[in-house]
Amino acid sequence: MALALRLLLLGAVALQGGRSRLHSRRVLDMVVSEPGLELPWFSRVVYVDDQVTYVYTSGTKRAEPYTVWMAQNEGPEFWELMTWWGQRFQKWYNTSLNTLSQLYNQSEGFHIIQTKYGCDLREDNVIQGFYQDSYDGRDFLTFDKETMTWVAADIGAQITKRRWDAEVNDNQQWKRYVEGNCISWLRNALEFGKETLQRKVHPTARVSDRSSHDGLTTLSCKVSGFYPRDITVTWLRNGESRQQETYSEGILPSGDGTYQTCVTMEIDPKIKAHYSCHVEHESLLEPLSVSWEPHNNLIPVVAGVITAVVLMGVIIGVVVWKKKRPGKKGDGYAVAQAHDQGSSGSDVSAKGK
């Protein structure tokens, strides 16, 4: 492989940035041996953090901006350079597919290579690079930054590993690539898209509970509306973290440019303890804590008794009121009938006289 191509493929597994905010530039390459209508033969998608900045495919044969702020700020020279790299990799992957199919003694059919590489930049200016690839959904090679050597995932990858390990000069230039083009492109994108990429949105947290099996109770802490994506959510019992006892559904997009997550934990409600949901996010000056208040079982009973008493009082009042009401149609007719009979009797008596 040519030196220039190898420089973009070298890297190391990305490191977690602790509480310092991590910004990343990621290049995701995919090539398939049998393309379809919606699956191009080769595609490259470049991310800065969670935003797609540009896309190159074998169909368009050009690198095209995917955000307004990239289109408005990068000039023709940048897009020509990205197009050139895309076309070079497209040719290289074509050769790689043939090489790997022979290496694994495979016949013609559907095969896929996926590669992810790039650089990370933390707010404390620590820089890291990363690289990982796979063939037909299985790990193939990764790069060990400590030993400056490649790590093969299986016997088939050993051949490529030995060849690439021998190219010591190429591997040493990884540091210059990370501190040069990759970080430069990342910094530019962070400035161009700072209103999106560098914004901070506070999370909101809500706790709830539901009955579970064997008399247990499941506590849920839903945290939503936060950006950036990285967040720490834990349940505390009497102020101590219960991380090993919790389950998380992962961090998911909310659909409005922010993220959400939910963390649950099962407890025995008979054991008296104070439970709270603890949230740490870079938008918060101090951690957010939301306590869970257990339901008092007497409340629904007392509420039911009060409701029954009030209802009984209403019924009794209505009955008494109806008995005392003089304007009922039936009662008025009876009184009038009695009065008519009395008048008739008086008339008869008068005639008798």
Side-chain angles (χ1 to χ4, degrees), residues 321-333:
W321 175 72
K322 284 188 175 182
K323 287 185 176 181
K324 293 183 176 181
R325 183 181 177 188
K328 188 176 179 182
K329 182 177 180 181
D331 294 340
Y333 178 77

Side-chain angles (χ1 to χ4, degrees), residues 48 69 73 184-198:
V48 171
W69 43 267
N73 289 281
S184 175
W185 292 331
L186 173 57
R187 291 185 189 275
N188 287 343
L190 290 175
E191 178 62 27
F192 298 154
K194 60 185 177 182
E195 292 184 2
T196 297
L197 298 171
Q198 300 191 53

Side-chain angles (χ1 to χ4, degrees), residues 47 50-51 199 222-231 249-262:
Y47 285 84
D50 58 355
Q51 302 291 309
R199 76 187 193 279
K222 183 175 182 181
V223 183
S224 59
F226 56 90
Y227 190 92
R229 182 179 183 277
D230 292 340
I231 196 169
E249 297 179 354
I251 301 174
L252 303 173
S254 299
D256 59 357
T258 63
Y259 291 91
Q260 60 180 318
T261 188
C262 185

Side-chain angles (χ1 to χ4, degrees), residues 287-315:
L288 175 64
S289 182
V290 181
S291 298
W292 171 70
E293 299 296 338
H295 295 297
N296 189 339
N297 293 332
L298 292 177
I299 293 178
V301 175
V302 173
V305 171
I306 294 175
T307 302
V309 170
V310 171
L311 183 59
M312 184 63 68
V314 171
I315 294 174

Side-chain angles (χ1 to χ4, degrees), residues 42 44 54 56 63 81-91 93:
F42 170 71
R44 162 168 291 183
Y54 79 83
Y56 172 95
L81 179 61
M82 296 303 103
T83 295
W84 182 82
W85 278 118
Q87 293 172 349
R88 294 275 300 199
F89 269 91
Q90 181 177 334
K91 295 177 181 179
Y93 278 118

Side-chain angles (χ1 to χ4, degrees), residues 115-134:
T115 305
K116 179 174 73 173
Y117 63 89
C119 52
D120 294 333
L121 175 65
R122 298 209 306 255
E123 284 184 336
D124 54 9
N125 287 322
V126 172
I127 297 172
Q128 293 290 339
F130 56 90
Y131 172 97
Q132 59 187 110
D133 65 11
S134 66

Side-chain angles (χ1 to χ4, degrees), residues 18-168:
R19 294 188 181 181
S20 179
R21 184 167 186 179
L22 180 74
H23 292 291
S24 298
R25 184 181 190 270
R26 283 172 165 75
V27 180
L28 277 67
D29 287 344
M30 182 180 69
V31 58
V32 297
S33 57
E34 293 186 356
L37 293 177
E38 297 182 359
L39 189 63
W41 181 80
F42 170 71
S43 67
R44 162 168 291 183
V45 182
V46 180
Y47 285 84
V48 171
D49 293 348
D50 58 355
Q51 302 291 309
V52 177
T53 58
Y54 79 83
V55 175
Y56 172 95
T57 70
S58 54
T60 63
K61 292 184 173 58
R62 288 201 58 81
E64 298 179 336
Y66 212 75
T67 63
V68 174
W69 43 267
M70 279 293 289
Q72 291 177 342
N73 289 281
E74 289 289 10
E77 292 184 359
F78 175 84
W79 298 114
E80 290 175 4
L81 179 61
M82 296 303 103
T83 295
W84 182 82
W85 278 118
Q87 293 172 349
R88 294 275 300 199
F89 269 91
Q90 181 177 334
K91 295 177 181 179
W92 179 78
Y93 278 118
N94 183 32
T95 303
S96 297
L97 272 177
N98 294 331
T99 301
L100 291 176
S101 63
Q102 295 174 9
L103 180 66
Y104 288 99
N105 194 25
Q106 295 170 328
S107 59
E108 294 182 358
F110 181 85
H111 299 291
I112 181 171
I113 298 175
Q114 293 170 290
T115 305
K116 179 174 73 173
Y117 63 89
C119 52
D120 294 333
L121 175 65
R122 298 209 306 255
E123 284 184 336
D124 54 9
N125 287 322
V126 172
I127 297 172
Q128 293 290 339
F130 56 90
Y131 172 97
Q132 59 187 110
D133 65 11
S134 66
Y135 177 63
D136 284 352
R138 300 186 301 271
D139 288 343
F140 187 71
L141 286 173
T142 57
F143 189 74
D144 186 339
K145 70 180 181 63
E146 300 297 334
T147 62
M148 300 296 290
T149 59
W150 295 90
V151 179
D154 58 25
I155 297 176
Q158 289 287 343
I159 298 175
T160 304
K161 165 188 162 55
R162 288 193 292 269
R163 188 173 72 251
W164 287 10
D165 281 346
E167 300 175 7
V168 178

